[in-house]
Amino acid sequence: MAQIRFDALKTVLSRKPLVTERPLKKTSEYFGENVFSRNKMQEYLSAEAYSEVINAIDKGTKINRKMADQIASGMKFWAIEKGATHYTHWFHPLNGASAEKHDAFFEPSENGGVIENFHGKLLVQQEPDASSFPSGGIRNTFEARGYTAWDPTSPAFLIDKTLCIPTIFVSYTGEALDYKTPLLKSLAALDESAVAVCNLFDKNVTKVYATLGIEQEYFLVDEALFQARPDLVLTGRTLIGHASAKDQQLEDHYFGVIPDRIHAFMKDYEYEALRLGIPIKTRHNEVAPSQFECAPVFEEANLAVDHNQLLMILMEKIAKRHNLRVLFNEKPYKGINGSGKHNNWSLMTDSGRNLLSPGKTPKNNLQFLAFLINTIKAVHEHADLLRASIVSAGNEHRLGASEAPPSIMSVFIGEKLAEILGEIEKRVTSKKMSPDEKTEIKLDIGKIPPILLDNTDRNRTSPFAFTGNRFEFRAVGSGANCAAPMIALNTAVAGQLRTFMKDIQSLTRKKVKKDEAIFQVLRKYIVESKNIIFDGNGYGDEWIKEAARRGLTNIKSAPDALNAFLTPASKELFSSTGVFNDRELEARYEIRLEIYIKKIQIEARVLGDLVKNHIIPIAFRYQNLLIENVRGMKEIIDGKDFMASTKTQIYTIKEISEHVNKIDDMVDRMIEKRKNANLTDDIRKKVKMYSDDIKPFFDEIRYHVDKLELITDDEMWPLPKYRELLFNK
Ligand code: ADP
Ligand code: MG
């Protein structure tokens, strides 16, 4: 066996679970201990400063400079008491990672020593050198000024003796350069329009939050095997590798017993996550071998997004401690399931009422239906935008690959709700409703069970499924920053709820009673958007045909899907809600294209290198061995017997040459195409070339490499194989 592969396997087999001894404590004793939470604030801030922060969190008020100084001082005191030496503004630039620039608390003092310093100005605003974060042309690199500004709605936390302060990141001219700024704006727009709709039913509602619970899927692989695979190291996925004889056919991994080593890792990162206030609750094996899932309890959406980013960072860090690597790539292995990130989304009022959960009275149920139907309508109107929001080079391998929701956006609502919507469609008409008709429809609505959760059938093939008291956006990729799909969803629903209010008002102005106006508008929406409702098997071929008949779009390629950001409808939606101006939208579009190009470019380079420097030389070495064998045979056997005894060898020698020639030729052609693509400055042309001319080589090259893997001496094969990557824990 090739030495590198042999060493890696030997290392894996010698590993024992790393058991971390910890004092026995109840979760409640350490939950959130590394967070500057409301409780901590109360303890470390003056009453005045505390109420200033709370108002900023709950009502969005501004914090004045004097108070900021006090808050900074309290925060510093808490952090230093817990051993912190540095602080950083923590933000989410558009390359999908999280960024930090650490500064020490200390500053030189007059007497030549140092003092610990951190004041309001440093808390509230910073100016990191931002020239190398993607900005899609908004921030002139020459100017290179980006500002980070404190987001008090997400509490500061401590990690590795560093105080991390969640911030937004904007350009000198005020345009967003990050994910958080537009996310907060989308949440504000949603709050405003959802409160208006709630007030149709209940005047007491003054704030509506989006809630988000994220189920995170991921793969684990042993560190030694990972390091022996250049493709995993550099791209996060295997670019070559033949399927293992056994993978997920037996379905014996899902919900199976968690292996000891993995369990030790899970306990470790969960402990750290809980200390950071991330309410992680669920863990289990997923469908594919070596695939797992975890899920915290839902939280306010902005906090949930921050927590998911933080969780991913923690998992990567702690996995290394256990000699494991976490793969968040959407499709690390060909032929078995990829990983997604299910975004469970709902709306909640300030009094804690879930707006996507039916109530006990017809009035509550009507409110529930209003939010349900408006959300369906929003998805219908902005399906392509939602599709665009989940695009990535990795997710492209997953969507529509008969294991993940397809590239067609549809909404699952279940039989019970479909029936109720059908009743509304049937009974409500545009003429004035008689008292009897009103009673009937109210009776229908009264039939919605107060707890739908147990009454909702589950559909695991829908990209956007109603699951009893929330929607689950299931097409999001496992490596994504959830802010992107949430910005699209929040904004689409915010825009739709505004339209709803306008439609109601135009009827009430014509003296139509409020209840009746609501019924009529909802009926209109049901009719207009029902073709996006689909309760059948979303993975089947039938649905692809049916969706085409219904006129739903099925955009497979990433670059094509991204165009939805720039349609007049998207521009209008984002500018009218104040979430993005056109310039920001165009910048984001460009950044997504750029990232896509770079990912494909790196994969193409790695594949070329693997093939030329790792695979082909090994193929030749094995071929030489066979040639040697044939030569030897010739010395000892002659005539007809010789032909018969060397049949397999000769055949294999030729087979190897055929595959090698094909591979080598394709790699050369791929490199040519890449050079060609790199000549153009037109990013739209370039992305098409990468997607249409370069990417298709990947599968073809892989096909022949995987064939070589099957015929080459196992002892020589240099890369850990699928069975080793997937079944060694
Ligand atoms: P499943 O039933 O899909 O396997 P879980 O029961 O593990 O999933 O829950 C999935 C996620 O949905 C969890 O994070 C949970 O907190 C979240 N969730 C539950 N209710 C809501 C809600 N009202 N809003 C947002 N997320 C919610
Ligand atoms: Mg789920």
Side-chain angles (χ1 to χ4, degrees), residues 40 51-52 70 137 152 202 211 219 249 272 417 528 606 626 644:
K40 287 332 164 349
S51 75
E52 187 94 355
Q70 283 198 25
D202 177 359
T211 51
F219 279 87
Q249 327 66 338
E272 295 302 336
L417 287 175
E528 287 167 353
V606 173
L626 296 173

Side-chain angles (χ1 to χ4, degrees), residues 635-650:
E635 278 173 27
I636 54 171
I637 309 170
D638 50 23
K640 226 174 97 211
D641 283 352
F642 170 73
M643 293 299 283
S645 336
T646 54
K647 205 175 116 215
T648 305
Q649 294 89 312
I650 303 277

Side-chain angles (χ1 to χ4, degrees), residues 213 215 293 342-344 458 460 467 470 472 474:
E215 298 161 68
E293 178 184 304
H342 300 174
N343 283 214
N344 294 269
R458 285 307 190 101
R460 303 216 170 258
T467 48
R470 61 190 187 264
E472 185 171 344
R474 302 175 64 257

Side-chain angles (χ1 to χ4, degrees), residues 16 20 153 215 232 389 402 407 419 572 581 613 702:
K16 303 225 163 16
T20 319
T153 60
E215 298 161 68
L232 277 182
S389 76
S402 75
S407 316
E419 200 182 296
E572 163 62 21
N581 61 33
N613 303 315
R702 178 181 195 138

Side-chain angles (χ1 to χ4, degrees), residues 200 428-433 438 503-521:
L200 289 173
V428 179
T429 52
S430 49
K431 67 175 179 15
K432 199 170 158 32
M433 292 169 83
K438 277 192 192 160
D503 287 347
I504 299 283
Q505 278 152 7
S506 79
L507 285 178
T508 48
R509 247 182 264 122
K510 288 186 215 145
K511 304 275 179 285
V512 179
K513 284 258 172 49
K514 191 175 79 183
D515 270 10
E516 200 169 327
I518 294 174
F519 276 126
Q520 283 188 13
V521 175

